[in-house]
Short mmCIF file of all heavy atoms in Angstrom, two decimals:
data_model
loop_
_atom_site.label_atom_id
_atom_site.label_comp_id
_atom_site.label_asym_id
_atom_site.label_seq_id
_atom_site.Cartn_x
_atom_site.Cartn_y
_atom_site.Cartn_z
N ARG A 14 21.34 -9.34 11.44
CA ARG A 14 21.46 -8.92 10.04
C ARG A 14 20.17 -8.24 9.56
O ARG A 14 19.08 -8.75 9.77
CB ARG A 14 21.74 -10.13 9.14
CG ARG A 14 23.12 -10.76 9.36
CD ARG A 14 23.31 -11.91 8.38
NE ARG A 14 22.30 -12.94 8.53
CZ ARG A 14 21.72 -13.59 7.51
NH1 ARG A 14 22.05 -13.29 6.26
NH2 ARG A 14 20.82 -14.52 7.73
N ALA A 16 17.23 -7.17 7.18
CA ALA A 16 16.51 -7.74 6.05
C ALA A 16 16.09 -6.65 5.05
O ALA A 16 15.80 -6.94 3.90
CB ALA A 16 15.27 -8.49 6.53
N LEU A 27 21.78 4.39 4.45
CA LEU A 27 22.59 4.37 5.67
C LEU A 27 23.09 2.96 5.99
O LEU A 27 24.25 2.78 6.37
CB LEU A 27 21.77 4.91 6.85
CG LEU A 27 21.24 6.34 6.72
CD1 LEU A 27 20.41 6.70 7.94
CD2 LEU A 27 22.40 7.32 6.56
N ARG A 33 25.35 -6.32 9.34
CA ARG A 33 25.25 -6.75 10.74
C ARG A 33 25.23 -5.53 11.65
O ARG A 33 26.03 -4.61 11.48
CB ARG A 33 26.42 -7.67 11.11
CG ARG A 33 26.34 -9.02 10.42
CD ARG A 33 27.36 -10.00 10.97
NE ARG A 33 27.26 -11.30 10.31
CZ ARG A 33 26.41 -12.26 10.65
NH1 ARG A 33 25.60 -12.07 11.67
NH2 ARG A 33 26.37 -13.40 9.99
N LEU A 53 16.94 -10.69 9.46
CA LEU A 53 17.07 -12.02 8.88
C LEU A 53 17.37 -13.03 9.97
O LEU A 53 18.15 -12.76 10.89
CB LEU A 53 18.21 -12.04 7.85
CG LEU A 53 18.01 -11.18 6.59
CD1 LEU A 53 19.30 -11.13 5.79
CD2 LEU A 53 16.87 -11.73 5.75
N GLU A 65 14.06 -1.56 -8.84
CA GLU A 65 12.82 -0.82 -8.74
C GLU A 65 12.20 -0.95 -7.35
O GLU A 65 11.66 0.02 -6.81
CB GLU A 65 11.82 -1.30 -9.80
CG GLU A 65 10.54 -0.47 -9.86
CD GLU A 65 9.64 -0.86 -11.00
OE1 GLU A 65 9.17 -2.03 -11.03
OE2 GLU A 65 9.38 -0.01 -11.88
N ALA A 89 -0.60 24.32 11.21
CA ALA A 89 -0.15 25.57 11.86
C ALA A 89 -0.64 26.81 11.12
O ALA A 89 -0.33 27.94 11.52
CB ALA A 89 1.37 25.58 11.95
N ASN A 95 6.45 22.59 -0.02
CA ASN A 95 6.84 21.61 -1.04
C ASN A 95 5.73 20.63 -1.41
O ASN A 95 6.01 19.58 -1.97
CB ASN A 95 8.07 20.82 -0.55
CG ASN A 95 9.29 21.71 -0.42
OD1 ASN A 95 9.63 22.44 -1.34
ND2 ASN A 95 9.94 21.66 0.73
N THR A 134 -1.42 5.82 -0.49
CA THR A 134 -2.68 6.09 -1.18
C THR A 134 -2.44 6.99 -2.38
O THR A 134 -3.03 6.78 -3.47
CB THR A 134 -3.69 6.74 -0.22
OG1 THR A 134 -3.90 5.88 0.90
CG2 THR A 134 -5.03 6.96 -0.91
N SER A 142 -4.79 6.50 -11.93
CA SER A 142 -5.15 7.61 -12.82
C SER A 142 -4.40 7.54 -14.15
O SER A 142 -4.92 7.95 -15.19
CB SER A 142 -4.91 8.95 -12.13
OG SER A 142 -3.54 9.12 -11.78
N LEU A 231 -20.94 11.55 -8.37
CA LEU A 231 -19.70 11.37 -7.62
C LEU A 231 -18.51 11.51 -8.57
O LEU A 231 -18.49 10.88 -9.63
CB LEU A 231 -19.70 9.99 -6.97
CG LEU A 231 -18.78 9.78 -5.76
CD1 LEU A 231 -19.19 10.70 -4.62
CD2 LEU A 231 -18.83 8.32 -5.32
N LEU A 305 2.27 -20.34 -12.31
CA LEU A 305 3.23 -20.52 -13.40
C LEU A 305 3.11 -19.42 -14.44
O LEU A 305 4.10 -18.99 -15.03
CB LEU A 305 3.02 -21.87 -14.08
CG LEU A 305 3.26 -23.12 -13.24
CD1 LEU A 305 2.95 -24.36 -14.07
CD2 LEU A 305 4.69 -23.17 -12.73
N GLY A 319 0.12 -27.48 -8.73
CA GLY A 319 -0.20 -27.98 -7.40
C GLY A 319 0.98 -28.75 -6.82
O GLY A 319 1.55 -29.63 -7.48
N GLY A 332 -14.22 -25.23 -16.90
CA GLY A 332 -14.44 -26.49 -16.20
C GLY A 332 -13.53 -26.64 -15.00
O GLY A 332 -13.95 -27.09 -13.92
N LEU A 357 10.23 -22.28 -13.32
CA LEU A 357 8.95 -21.90 -13.90
C LEU A 357 8.93 -22.14 -15.40
O LEU A 357 7.97 -22.68 -15.94
CB LEU A 357 8.68 -20.41 -13.62
CG LEU A 357 8.42 -20.00 -12.17
CD1 LEU A 357 8.20 -18.49 -12.10
CD2 LEU A 357 7.22 -20.73 -11.61
#
Side-chain angles (χ1 to χ4, degrees):
R14 292 182 301 140
L27 300 178
R33 290 190 179 275
L53 294 171
E65 186 174 62
N95 294 310
T134 302
S142 61
L231 202 62
L305 296 178
L357 292 179

